[in-house]
């Protein structure tokens, strides 16, 4: 199946949590489809946007982008968030879809979604989202192939600030989020001067993967090294440095860390900890369940971190160990994930969109990205059957190990 020299009906949707790439991905994909039309690779083009992710697809909520507007989408590159809205919907969780009124009792969400695509005469659908979004895209692609002869090409774009998707080297928005998280803490760290013996926990998004926490700390420390401090004023590069980095991939010896950081507190008058929101969650959940408490989970089975609250748990425990007078927990997640894409991410998105549009015209489904398992790590439509979430951060990398050594944290 090829769409070369034909009129192509293209649809897009964004889903899952926000990331600094959604608007730019919509813009880049649209621009490359328009370029394909102008280059004569296709004979016509209609671009449809499903609003609010898979919810919009299930309920038939969409709009067609007018031809004159197609020429204006470059403006979206400078916006954060999604220009068409997101939602968290699992197409294979029938009970949840029925409960939320997204389909009727006895209906299959996959069939409802497929019928809507066929009704709208969609040839190509771009799903822009993280591992959950693209695993759902994989289910939809498989269903369309088995039940409807593969009449719709599905090309995913890998959005997640966690950078935790197999086998994709770098997901969209992760680099921007790390950079923005560093900017966030450049201001928050000044709170260490507001009170003696101040403990600050910078809670960074990352349920099972420590990439974002590690990269945010790296960006922050690089910015800190460029600042000038004046002696004998008490705010220094050491007092504003990162004193601990806690990620899900590494065990937290809270007693040992408490003893180490107590010395930092005594010397610097403050302690700054960067921690992934998923750090220690398994231990906390085990304690809650052992106590007979119910642990709330979302439609995908993920523990609701706002209910478990690792930041508050560790803040209380560590504050006692380091003898903190005041404790501050600050979460950079919403600030970081809501930003517009930076230059690095825009370039990655553009390259993936260009190859993705070419693949769609050739009739090839897959999730775009740098394929870590292929020689030379090329950008290509990776088979959906190979797309999986929960890729851990490689904590053995030299740059990360050197950072731990520099801050005195031995793992």
């Amino acid at each position: 199946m090829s769409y070369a020299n034909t009129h192509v009906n293209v649809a897009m949707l964004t889903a899952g949590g926000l990331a600094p790439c959604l608007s730019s991905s919509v813009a880049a994909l649209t621009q490359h489809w328009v370029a394909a039309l102008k280059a004569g690779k296709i004979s016509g083009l209609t671009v449809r946007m499903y609003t609010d992710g898979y919810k919009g697809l299930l309920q038939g909520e969409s709009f067609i982008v007018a031809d004159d507007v197609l020429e204006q989408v470059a403006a979206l590159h400078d916006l954060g968030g999604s220009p068409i809205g997101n939602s968290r919907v699992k197409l294979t969780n029938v009970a949840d879809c029925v409960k939320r009124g997204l389909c009727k009792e006895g209906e299959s969400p996959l069939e409802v979604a497929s019928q809507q695509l066929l009704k709208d005469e969609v040839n190509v659908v771009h799903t822009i989202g993280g591992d959950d979004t693209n695993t759902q895209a994989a289910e939809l692609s498989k269903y369309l192939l088995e039940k409807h002869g593969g009449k719709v090409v599905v090309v995913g774009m890998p959005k997640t600030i966690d950078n935790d998707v197999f086998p994709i080297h770098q997901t969209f928005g992760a680099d921007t989020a790390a950079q923005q998280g560093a900017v966030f803490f450049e201001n928050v760290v000044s709170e260490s001067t507001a009170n003696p013996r101040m403990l600050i926990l910078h809670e960074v998004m990352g349920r099972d993967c420590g990439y974002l926490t590690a990269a945010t700390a790296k960006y922050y420390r690089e910015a800190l090294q460029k600042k000038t401090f004046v002696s004998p004023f008490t705010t220094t590069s050491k007092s504003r440095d990162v004193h601990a980095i806690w990620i899900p991939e590494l065990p937290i010896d809270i007693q040992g860390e408490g003893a180490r950081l107590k010395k930092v507190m005594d010397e610097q008058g403050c302690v700054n900890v960067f921690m992934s929101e998923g750090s220690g969650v398994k231990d906390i959940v085990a304690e809650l369940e052992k106590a007979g408490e119910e642990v709330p989970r979302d439609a995908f089975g993920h523990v609701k971190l706002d209910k478990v609250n690792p930041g508050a748990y560790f803040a209380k425990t560590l504050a006692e160990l380091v003898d903190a007078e005041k404790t501050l927990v600050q979460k950079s997640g919403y600030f970081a994930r809501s930003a517009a894409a930076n230059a690095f991410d825009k370039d990655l998105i553009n390259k993936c969109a260009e190859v993705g549009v070419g693949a769609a015209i050739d009739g090839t489904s897959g999730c775009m990205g740098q394929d870590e398992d292929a020689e030379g790590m090329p950008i290509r439509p990776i088979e959906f059957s190979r797309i999986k979430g929960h890729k851990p951060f490689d904590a053995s990398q030299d740059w990360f190990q050197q950072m731990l050594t520099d801050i005195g944290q031995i793992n």
Side-chain angles (χ1 to χ4, degrees), residues 319-335:
E320 295 173 356
L321 294 172
V322 301
D323 192 23
E325 286 190 16
K326 187 174 180 180
T327 302
L328 189 65
V329 179
Q330 291 289 291
K331 302 181 180 184
S332 61
Y334 292 113
F335 177 89

Side-chain angles (χ1 to χ4, degrees), residues 125-199:
V125 59
H126 291 289
T127 56
I128 306 166
D131 61 308
D132 288 330
T133 299
N134 282 298
T135 52
Q136 293 307 292
E139 292 289 345
L140 184 58
S141 177
K142 180 182 177 183
Y143 189 89
L144 284 164
L145 181 63
E146 293 177 351
K147 302 294 184 181
H148 299 284
K151 294 180 180 178
V152 181
V153 173
V154 183
V155 176
M157 296 285 270
K159 167 245 45 157
T160 171
I161 61 177
D162 292 349
N163 195 30
D164 64 345
V165 180
F166 288 107
I168 296 173
H169 176 66
Q170 184 77 23
T171 55
F172 303 166
D175 188 76
T176 302
Q179 198 173 57
Q180 290 294 315
V183 171
F184 175 89
F185 197 73
E186 280 189 63
N187 285 356
V188 170
V189 72
S190 295
E191 288 293 328
S192 64
T193 69
N195 201 85
R197 302 189 72 82
M198 173 75 86
L199 169 62

Side-chain angles (χ1 to χ4, degrees), residues 188-355:
V188 170
V189 72
S190 295
E191 288 293 328
S192 64
T193 69
N195 201 85
R197 302 189 72 82
M198 173 75 86
L199 169 62
I200 301 179
L201 284 93
H202 177 195
E203 190 173 326
V204 183
M205 282 188 170
R207 179 184 300 276
D208 298 305
C209 178
Y211 165 84
L212 186 58
T213 301
T216 301
K218 183 174 182 287
Y219 265 125
Y220 172 74
R221 297 190 77 242
E222 288 173 351
L224 182 66
Q225 290 169 9
K226 297 176 182 178
K227 295 184 183 297
T228 300
F229 294 92
V230 182
S231 179
F233 292 95
T234 56
T235 186
T236 67
S237 60
K238 289 184 178 180
S239 69
R240 289 177 177 249
D241 203 350
V242 180
H243 302 128
I245 303 170
W246 296 347
I247 59 176
E249 291 82 358
L250 297 177
I252 301 173
D253 175 6
I254 193 64
Q255 295 299 322
E257 279 289 83
R260 179 179 74 85
L261 295 173
K262 173 67 160 55
K263 295 178 182 178
V264 174
M265 180 69 84
D266 293 340
E267 293 172 3
Q268 302 300 330
C270 62
V271 168
N272 306 314
V273 177
F274 276 41
M275 62 169 287
S276 300
E277 63 180 353
S279 298
V281 165
K282 292 179 181 177
D283 294 330
I284 298 171
V285 168
E287 282 190 24
L288 292 173
E289 291 180 335
K290 186 177 180 180
E293 295 185 40
E294 183 180 352
V295 178
R297 300 175 186 271
D298 63 18
F300 292 88
H302 300 149
V303 172
K304 291 188 176 181
L305 295 176
D306 58 330
K307 303 298 182 183
V308 175
N309 205 341
Y313 176 87
F314 284 114
K316 181 178 183 299
T317 306
L318 187 59
E320 295 173 356
L321 294 172
V322 301
D323 192 23
E325 286 190 16
K326 187 174 180 180
T327 302
L328 189 65
V329 179
Q330 291 289 291
K331 302 181 180 184
S332 61
Y334 292 113
F335 177 89
R337 77 178 198 173
S338 300
N342 65 9
F344 174 90
D345 276 317
K346 285 179 183 176
D347 181 63
L348 179 60
I349 290 166
N350 182 63
K351 290 175 179 176
C352 286
E354 181 178 14
V355 178

